[in-house]
Amino acid sequence: MPAGRAPGPPPPPPPLAPRALDGTGLTPLFDHHVHSDLRNADDYELMAVSGVLTALAPCSASLEARDTGSAFAARFERLAVAETSRAAAYGIDLHVALAVHAADMAGLSGALAGIEALEEYLDHPRVRALGELSLRNGGPDEVEVLERQLKLASARGVPVLVESPPALAPFREMLAPLAGAVERSGIDPASIALLDLDEQRIDLLAEHPALRGLGGYGIAVAPRQDALFQIREKQSHREVLRLLERFGPERLMLNTGLHFGSADPLGLARTVHRLRLHGVPEQIVRALAHGNAAQFFAVPHRVPASG
């Protein structure tokens, strides 16, 4: 400090952290897209200390060809029972979505047997949705399995999660058969959420009338990283701000999309923190990071334990 200059006033204190509606602290986060069954259980602790109290693990591709109903049922059992117990040890209230994934089909007969097994598991108290549904080669067997599961979800009144391919070209190719299956199944598009979306992919949905009324846009988020084994590129807070500007907050649902490669279990918390720093109102933050997904999956609101 130059001689003779009086010190200026101290900087103002930082603003108080936004609080949940009940005053218990920051809004609890709901990470509705975590493939945590494919990862180290310590990720649950990182998620919990970052504010994630509730999570949902969809049945993703295991890349293990399953040719019997019992083979699919074994995967369903592991997710609904063993994995939810593993998460509970770290304080995470884990729910699951179950489905016959296209990448795990060894053939049509085994996949159809898997759907029969799936019907029984939809009554499990940890199961909140049917998913992830997927198209990999778009062949008639895959489309039939997709359509049958959409009909099942419609009949049972459960929401649906549909996976987006990592690359844009196969995503574009998937939309026409997906739209056709949605129309033929009679399912309400509002009960379907597409995962791993970005601005360009949301724009492409408008080209298919059956996909314009989807109930949720799942946005996998994390600060930019240069990872060696990053399967998907996540959306940064800047891209989320752009999505908010163009589409509004009503259907946007933020998640980590935590996969078995290089991924950040703190990605949701870090992105939400940056959105707050950029002035996004807390009511909108709550909708993006908890409320929209909790309503879509009918998951009860959890608050941190007090005292």
Side-chain angles (χ1 to χ4, degrees):
M1 177 185 301
R5 179 177 296 180
L16 293 176
R19 301 185 73 82
L21 289 174
D22 58 3
T24 54
L26 290 176
T27 301
L29 306 179
F30 174 23
D31 195 344
H32 66 276
H33 182 195
V34 295
H35 299 303
S36 45
D37 58 310
L38 306 175
R39 297 180 61 90
N40 191 305
D42 290 346
D43 284 343
Y44 285 129
E45 184 174 33
L46 293 173
M47 293 163 61
V49 300
S50 75
V52 175
L53 297 184
T54 312
L56 185 139
C59 190
S60 63
S62 69
L63 304 182
E64 299 168 345
R66 303 176 191 274
D67 57 3
T68 65
S70 59
F72 283 101
R75 179 85 190 283
F76 302 156
E77 179 79 7
R78 180 164 66 83
L79 271 171
V81 178
E83 192 58 31
T84 56
S85 297
R86 194 169 76 125
Y90 292 84
I92 299 289
D93 185 23
L94 183 68
H95 304 269
V96 300
L98 303 179
V100 173
H101 196 286
D104 291 351
M105 290 173 50
L108 180 59
S109 61
L112 296 180
I115 295 175
E116 292 181 6
L118 174 62
E119 289 190 57
E120 300 181 12
Y121 274 89
L122 289 181
D123 291 326
H124 192 283
R126 290 281 106 187
V127 177
R128 293 286 174 175
L130 193 154
E132 299 169 338
L133 297 184
S134 176
L135 288 174
R136 290 300 175 95
N137 59 41
D141 289 354
E142 284 191 1
V143 173
E144 179 176 349
V145 169
L146 171 70
E147 187 174 333
R148 288 200 182 210
Q149 291 183 93
L150 291 175
K151 289 179 179 177
L152 174 60
S154 180
R156 298 293 288 272
V158 297
V160 175
L161 288 172
V162 179
E163 174 194 52
S164 297
L168 185 62
F171 174 80
R172 191 190 298 268
E173 294 169 1
M174 176 191 80
L175 293 181
L178 173 61
V182 168
E183 290 179 328
R184 292 188 300 272
S185 70
I187 193 171
D188 182 358
S191 66
I192 300 174
L194 238 62
L195 298 175
D196 298 304
L197 293 179
D198 54 25
E199 184 178 1
Q200 189 172 8
R201 293 171 192 240
I202 294 176
D203 282 336
L204 289 172
L205 296 177
E207 299 177 3
H208 301 272
L211 303 179
R212 291 175 186 167
L214 296 182
Y217 296 154
I219 312 296
V221 296
R224 282 282 180 262
Q225 58 175 320
D226 182 19
L228 293 177
F229 188 29
Q230 184 176 347
I231 297 174
R232 295 179 183 269
E233 183 174 290
K234 315 299 183 183
Q235 300 297 288
S236 72
H237 72 278
R238 293 181 178 85
E239 287 158 319
V240 174
L241 291 170
R242 171 69 175 167
L243 291 172
L244 280 171
E245 179 183 348
R246 287 203 56 205
F247 304 109
E250 286 75 18
R251 287 186 281 182
L252 301 183
M253 308 188 307
L254 305 187
N255 60 73
T256 58
L258 197 65
H259 49 65
F260 66 87
S262 297
D264 184 4
L266 303 179
L268 179 57
R270 286 175 165 145
T271 302
V272 163
H273 178 61
R274 285 160 172 77
L275 293 176
R276 287 184 172 122
L277 293 178
H278 276 74
V280 176
E282 187 64 16
Q283 183 177 2
I284 293 179
V285 172
R286 281 197 297 267
L288 298 176
H290 189 286
N292 289 350
Q295 181 177 2
F296 183 81
F297 295 106
V299 169
H301 177 70
R302 277 190 69 196
V303 298
S306 58

